[in-house]
């Protein structure tokens, strides 16, 4: 149960946080920050993993063509400023400060770098400053190519011994089959182990463009091995995180 968790990692992807015009989806940002502040006021430690740098950079630089991988890296460097400004300004409304952390998967694998990253995160939490992490797109391309920070968020959750990873998506969770007529009867509510059947469902969902489910299942697999539960839920609702306490909220929970 998320209400019993102490350390929570919340991941929000580009397609949720940014719009097609390369701007910030203000409604989503407002709703997510409101709920993170509620968690902080409930004495939870929260770490945010946010993508959106490429999308915002593309908007600012007014680039319409398909970007090469190297171009995406450069565009991310421009967009990262916009991304952090958006988070900073929204948290400021609640008198909360944020800090930017850029990490690569290799930093997490390396013993010395991961120890330093952990110490930085712990100190920021002690300073009541909300860490906002993105992949370091200048030096690494893993999450640009695949996953949109899902795997990075899982690695961070394991690194800091988080109890929960919340993957905010633009769908309600993992569907057995694509939802028909907006009914949620095909939503998988709880997963206790990641079987081939679950992976097959995620594969089908990803093919239909329903939120890159495969990387989310991979993220859940990484977390569950380290006793960290994962929730996939839609970030498009009014209280995307607070509403998870209400059992009626649509989500898929991966119980560690
Ligand atoms: N680090 C990338 C970004 O912030 C994530 C990958 C993506 O969204 O495509 O844009």
């Amino acid at each position: 149960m998320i209400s019993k968790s102490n350390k929570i990692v919340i991941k929000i992807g580009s397609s949720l946080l940014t719009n097609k015009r390369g701007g910030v989806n203000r409604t989503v940002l407002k709703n997510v920050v409101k709920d993170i502040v509620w968690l902080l006021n409930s004495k939870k430690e929260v770490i945010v993993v946010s993508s959106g740098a490429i999308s915002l950079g593309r908007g600012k630089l007014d680039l319409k063509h398909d970007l090469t991988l190297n171009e995406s890296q450069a565009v991310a460097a421009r967009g990262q400023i916009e991304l952090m400004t958006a988070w900073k300004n929204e948290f400021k409304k609640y008198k909360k400060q944020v800090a930017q952390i850029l990490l690569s998967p290799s930093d997490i694998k390396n013993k010395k770098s991961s120890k330093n990253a952990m110490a930085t995160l712990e100190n920021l939490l002690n300073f009541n400053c909300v860490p906002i992490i993105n992949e370091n797109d200048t030096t690494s391309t893993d999450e640009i190519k695949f996953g949109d920070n899902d795997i990075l968020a899982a690695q961070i959750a394991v690194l800091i011994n988080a109890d929960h990873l919340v993957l905010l998506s633009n769908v309600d969770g993992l569907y057995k089959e694509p939802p028909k007529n907006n009914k949620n009867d095909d939503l998988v509510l709880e997963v206790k182990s990641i079987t081939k059947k679950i992976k097959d469902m995620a594969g089908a969902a990803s093919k239909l463009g329903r939120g890159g489910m495969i990387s989310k299942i991979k993220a859940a697999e990484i977390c569950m091995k380290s006793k960290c539960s994962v929730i996939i839920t839609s970030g498009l609702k009014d209280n995307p995180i607070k509403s998870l306490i209400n059992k009626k909220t649509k989500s898929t929970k991966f119980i560690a």
Side-chain angles (χ1 to χ4, degrees):
M1 281 255 293
I2 197 147
S3 53
K4 300 247 159 56
S5 288
N6 292 317
K7 238 181 221 178
I8 303 163
V9 175
I10 294 166
K11 183 253 154 179
I12 173 160
S14 306
S15 55
L16 189 60
L17 191 60
T18 65
N19 57 40
K20 287 196 181 84
R21 296 178 306 281
V24 175
N25 185 329
R26 299 278 160 198
T27 311
V28 168
L29 182 69
K30 210 170 119 217
N31 289 338
V32 172
V33 169
K34 186 175 63 183
D35 275 11
I36 293 175
V37 171
W38 169 77
L39 285 173
L40 295 172
N41 291 341
S42 316
K43 305 276 172 269
K44 313 283 183 203
E45 294 186 321
V46 181
I47 285 162
V48 178
V49 177
S50 170
S51 45
I54 298 172
S55 174
L56 296 179
R58 180 193 269 284
K60 281 286 159 193
L61 296 169
D62 200 20
L63 300 171
K64 305 270 190 294
H65 67 279
D66 285 341
L67 300 174
T68 64
L69 192 54
N70 288 153
E71 281 178 334
S72 297
Q73 292 176 271
V75 170
R78 172 65 187 90
Q80 184 63 24
I81 303 172
E82 303 306 314
L83 185 64
M84 286 312 297
T85 305
W87 283 108
K88 186 187 106 177
N89 289 342
E90 197 55 40
F91 271 107
K92 200 175 167 194
K93 294 179 187 165
Y94 300 90
K95 298 191 168 47
K96 302 270 180 207
Q97 299 195 48
V98 299
Q100 169 187 274
I101 295 189
L102 299 175
L103 282 177
S104 325
S106 61
D107 294 326
I108 294 174
K109 276 180 213 128
N110 180 291
K111 228 174 165 182
K112 198 173 163 195
S113 319
S114 66
K115 213 174 141 201
N116 283 330
M118 212 151 74
T120 299
L121 286 168
E122 288 299 340
N123 278 309
L124 285 170
L125 294 174
N126 290 340
F127 298 150
N128 292 319
C129 194
V130 184
I132 316 264
I133 306 177
N134 196 354
E135 183 179 41
N136 187 348
D137 293 325
T138 302
T139 58
S140 123
T141 54
D142 299 45
E143 300 285 335
I144 302 178
K145 286 192 244 168
F146 172 78
D148 191 18
N149 282 348
D150 287 335
I151 310 295
L152 182 70
Q155 289 167 332
I156 289 162
V158 170
L159 181 73
I160 61 156
N161 282 319
D163 315 280
H164 259 99
L165 165 64
V166 179
L167 297 172
L168 293 176
S169 176
N170 41 17
V171 291
D172 289 318
L174 175 67
Y175 284 92
K176 288 176 203 156
E177 279 176 45
K180 291 171 207 129
N181 312 325
N182 289 331
K183 285 189 185 161
N184 77 330
D185 36 340
D186 283 334
L187 190 67
V188 180
L189 299 179
E190 213 174 270
V191 177
K192 288 201 172 122
S193 73
I194 296 180
T195 57
K196 186 179 174 297
K197 205 171 146 195
I198 294 289
K199 286 185 182 167
D200 287 347
M201 283 177 205
S206 293
K207 255 185 240 148
L208 288 156
R210 300 201 60 81
M213 266 306 148
I214 291 181
S215 63
K216 289 181 175 50
I217 302 299
K218 283 213 163 103
E221 210 167 18
I222 295 169
C223 286
M224 285 166 89
K225 277 186 198 144
S226 296
K227 303 216 178 326
C228 171
S229 295
V230 177
I231 303 175
I232 304 174
T233 194
S234 168
L236 292 169
K237 48 187 173 278
D238 193 20
N239 284 113
I241 303 158
K242 199 173 178 181
S243 64
L244 290 170
I245 293 178
N246 169 356
K247 288 209 169 75
K248 285 195 187 118
T249 295
K250 295 176 191 175
S251 70
T252 303
K253 293 191 171 81
F254 298 80
I255 317 283

